[in-house]
Amino acid sequence: MLLVWMGVAQADPVIDLLAGELERADAVFSAQEETPHYTALTITETRQVEIGARAGTLDVRTDETERTLDVDLRVGTPTLDSTHPLRGFSALDGDSRRANRLPDDLGGYATRHILARELDARYREAAERIVVLRANQNVMVEEEDQADDFEPRKGEQELLDVPELTLDQEAWVKRLVALSERADASPHVHQHSLRLSAVREVKRMADTEGARLRHGRTHARLAVQLETTADDGDRVRVFDAFDVHDPADVPTGDLDAWVDAQVERLEALRSAPRGEPYSGPVMLEGRASGVFFHEVLGHRVEGHRQKREDEGKTFADHVGQPILPPWVDVVDDPTLSELAGVDLNGHYAWDDEGVRGQPAVLVDDGVFTGFLMARSPLPTVPHSNGHGRRSTGREPVARMGNTVVTTAKPQPRAALRAQLLELVKKEGLPYGYIVEDIEGGFALTGRMMPNAFNIRAVASWRVWADGRKDELVRGIDLVGTPFVAFSNLVATGDDPQVFNGTCGAESGWVPVSAVSPSILFSRLEFQLKEKAQQRPPLLPKPMPDDGSAEASP
Amino acid sequence: MIALLAAAAANDLVVALEEELARADQLALPDAPPLYSLRYHLATIDQYELVATFGSVLQEDDRPSSGLGVELRVGEPGYDNTGFGGWENGFMRGYLAREPTPRDTREVAWRTTDRAYKQAVEQHARKSAQFNPPPDYPGDYWVPEPLKADDGAPPVLDTAGVRASALAASAVFASAGESLLMGEVHVGAEAGDLWLVDGEGTRLRRPLAEASVRAFAALRTEDGELLTDQRFWCAREASKLPGQDVMVAEVEAMRDALLARADAVPLEDEYVGPVVFEGDAALDLFRYLLVPQIEGTPGEIPFSSFFGDLGDAGDSVRVGRRVLPEGWSVVDDPVLDPDHPASYRHDWDGTPAQRVDLVDDGIVHDLLMSRVPRKGLKPNGHGRSFLGTRAQGRAVQLDVTPARTRTQHALIKKGLRMAAPYGLDHVIVIRRLQEYSVRSSAGSYGGSDEGPSLPPPVEIVRVYADGTETPVRGATFASVQRYLLRDIALAGPVHTGTFLAPVDGEYAWIGPIEGMATAITAPDVLVREIELVPGSRDPRDTPVLRPPAP
């Protein structure tokens, strides 16, 4: 193991430390009755700068660096190891893994002590689990999934440099304070925040297969969030953000107009009517379309979901079959750093299992072609395609990176809108919907619940068949099931847009992007969004210069 | 100069709160009981936290923290929205900006007061629907007289020295790293102003100043027992904590004692007989068994809810009950030692601090009270709390005085005499109990304080007639009730110590530097009979991979 590592031209003392502890642990564990077949150590060093302002003053200012340790240890064999899901009553015994904080001097004794403590804890837990698992396998019926638990690989080695964070923090403090004062000038903005977050994340990994990797990313987000309470009690929120890789690229020009536009959106949404349950033609604008594909397709094609006995396995048996119109392609490609000048949040060089990030073609000419794979093989897909991801403290599973939808039949937005109206008239409906903005969504993929999706719409527009002016509505979410929704996809736009966000699932929160043109559906469904029940504030918001008495809540 | 500037800035925030207090008169919902009391607690604090392990910094935070507590009461003092179980009760906390301004403070007060008012109205209705007060119901609130007072400026937070001491003390564990599960030093320090502002005209500024250090270590014995030990220091200012040399020496002694204890013989059979509590263990005996019997704020009336009954099922506190042997007395005086971090001139409610004679001749005569009424008792300046939580009568500087004290030697001698009828040739001496926060930090459940109980002893010796001592480990108390204190046979030398009491009274999962500083002075004691049984130990918990040598 060490010989392999010494062949690498560069060196990283922290990785040397990890390799040394792995070797020491291996010598001890291999003498035990139950032995690990694979162990990986990862240290994630995260420097995070947060500057936030509200009500014309500095609200948050931190610049902290945190180092955390992840230990991935598998007892047994790659065919059946301690990570294999338990079934029945035994499944109630969860694992206790967590993110372990490491000290600021990674080369010191404290790091080695914590490494040993966590290795020991993970080993003892895995050794106990494999015993239960073998009995569990005997007692339970044969599993649908007959694939191995783990794909052994030859460890890869690469040391990438991650640029330092450079940020004029003082300038941003002044800028955000001024912007927050601007946002706060509206009596209807009841709560708000202007925030700049900049992150530099460096991951160092060593495993028992010889992997020696250093990689990471920088990222910055400038975000505004405004909140008010509508007269009907609805908590109305507006959020907008710029995501960039290099903090120096955070836009600084005309931010006043940007904030003003968000305040305007909030005011408009506050006085907009709530929508109603609806079934009919719907057009999703680009960002909403991206999230639609993320929820409806992306989560359902994560490799590990095809293995678990409690998962719905929506597309498991559809490889080679059409699931979308033949002019639509979908690929998840973490190697893309930007698209059309927009930085992509889901970009990474290496995944969290030591596999190089690579494109995974999911849909080709409308035909479903494969899955997002981590190192948990499927019977028909034995190899990872570099999508094993996690936030620290979790076990990596297959996750999305940059999910990109492309079309061979791009149409201008006006053409999509015209088709929407045609469909509305054909159905004899008074109006259809265009979903302009969303705040995210979620998908249920298990068997115990309906295999539905929910796209959290923020701003939807009624487009009237009789030519009335479009009407903004709030309070409705898109819902549906995947096959029906896909079968109703009738047209695609020529306006790919990027949704940058963070996706939460069983392996934690990971940065992702979803890119898609606008899409027209002949039929989608809206359901009512939950609504807060508190009355708006009984007294008007206090305003500077004693203007509070005049403002209405 | 810095403190003066801070006070001036805080005054601007007080003015902002006054503006919102004035507007709160307009808060009214149809058919709702009237708002009769609104109080704001404003905290502008500098906080510092450090966790060091084996000579390295594991975590360090140094930041201002400002918050607003809202206490809103509707109805009338005899019957209002308080004292009833559940959440959303009219007491709330809001977070101020890092650099709080009058504008931000007003907005936070506006939002928080609005929510607190609506909560209070609903809570009052919930309480009315489920609880009819008996004729002798003492009411819910003693309305305070307006007060204008300035109890002084806080010290400037200076943590450079304690940082260095903590790092040096944590490095002590490295030499035994191979044997230890963990070895950490936690530092918490804060300094700032606490303002109390209300609609009746109260304007009270109180200083908040406290610096705490807890060093602790844990190891697993070969048979799987979790052994822990800790040392704790607390002062009003970091600069008044013991110096680095003292801390390092004490931590070295603790480390060595812990390592030696791993070689002690585990308790295999139960021990029934007399037990001597010495030093910190004696202080803990009174902390866990006496303190809950003299804190007089009535528990919340249970709210029968979806989550079950929320509130306190019973009231275990009684005036007139014997809690200690004849001749013993207990007083609590918040100004006993003005330099102690627990000390104050006015309590959380703004009531002037008072010395309270709690126990006389072993019998409870008075209780520690906040402004929550209890039949026959009045507020006595012992209300302690933090933002958004109703103040409860709590111990501050507690002094437990026995009828008579004897020497340590006398305690042991009598203990041996009392042990003989049990067929024992020795008496058990307990010198330290396990600290809940250390147990939870080491990964085991911290336990709770549902009724008086005692955490397991960690430093135990068998003492024989010839004076020899044999260390014992692996013992835990079989069953301990508050009546045990009546069973004290003899008192020995008196000690003073400080502990951190959880704000909500719940010790489970309390952090190493969480809680309210509380001083306690009490003697070593010989208790007539206690049952000790073997504690849990499982060889499977023993590490397979030992930490590396340093």
Side-chain angles (χ1 to χ4, degrees), chain A residues 21 24-25 28-29 32 54-62 64 67 101-105 108-117 119-120 123-124 128 173 180-185 187 189-192 235 534-544 546 548-549 553, chain B residues 20 23-30 53-61 63 88 95-101 103-104 106-108 110-111 114-115 117-119 122 163 173-184 220 540-550:
Chain A
E21 289 305 309
R24 196 176 77 86
V28 173
F29 294 149
Q32 303 295 312
R54 71 182 202 206
T57 189
L58 184 65
D59 182 25
V60 176
R61 183 162 183 187
T62 57
E64 293 170 344
R67 297 148 195 91
R101 202 158 179 152
L102 292 173
D104 53 0
D105 55 337
Y109 175 68
T111 302
R112 294 178 62 207
H113 194 280
I114 294 168
L115 275 168
R117 189 169 72 205
L119 271 162
D120 177 70
Y123 168 74
R124 285 189 293 116
E128 188 178 307
V173 167
S180 76
E181 188 152 11
R182 197 171 184 92
D184 200 35
V189 173
H190 291 173
Q191 265 186 289
H192 68 282
R235 298 288 285 272
Q534 288 274 340
R535 288 174 187 270
L538 301 176
L539 303 178
K541 174 183 170 181
M543 301 295 288
D546 205 22
S548 56
Chain B
E20 286 308 302
R23 288 212 303 158
D25 286 345
Q26 301 165 46
L27 286 172
L29 285 166
T53 185
F54 301 112
S56 295
V57 174
L58 199 56
Q59 191 173 341
E60 188 169 23
D61 292 311
R63 65 183 66 176
E88 304 212 344
Y95 294 89
L96 300 182
R98 178 189 172 103
E99 293 178 0
T101 59
R103 179 173 168 181
D104 177 63
R106 277 196 75 179
E107 287 189 19
V108 172
W110 164 66
R111 284 194 300 268
D114 183 82
R115 285 202 290 271
Y117 171 69
K118 291 166 183 166
Q119 287 184 4
E122 252 195 300
R163 184 185 193 278
F173 296 124
S175 62
E178 214 170 341
S179 307
L180 295 178
L181 196 60
M182 63 195 310
E184 294 182 357
R220 284 274 179 199
R540 289 176 304 172
D541 291 333
T542 307
V544 173
L545 178 68
R546 289 279 177 187

Side-chain angles (χ1 to χ4, degrees), chain B residues 184-230:
Chain B
E184 294 182 357
V185 179
H186 290 234
V187 178
E190 55 189 10
D193 283 313
L194 291 170
W195 286 87
L196 173 58
V197 184
D198 71 16
E200 276 67 53
T202 292
R203 303 291 180 269
L204 169 65
R205 183 174 77 139
R206 304 192 306 143
L208 176 68
E210 185 185 315
S212 302
V213 179
R214 193 182 301 279
F216 63 88
L219 63 77
R220 284 274 179 199
T221 59
E222 286 302 324
D223 57 6
E225 186 188 349
L226 178 70
L227 292 183
T228 68
D229 207 349
Q230 60 95 36

Side-chain angles (χ1 to χ4, degrees), chain B residues 475-506:
Chain B
T476 192
F477 295 104
S479 167
V480 173
Q481 295 189 323
R482 57 177 177 248
Y483 308 111
L484 181 144
L485 293 178
R486 302 177 190 171
D487 231 9
I488 291 172
L490 214 58
V494 173
H495 310 275
T496 296
T498 298
F499 65 89
L500 297 179
V503 175
D504 61 359
E506 177 59 69

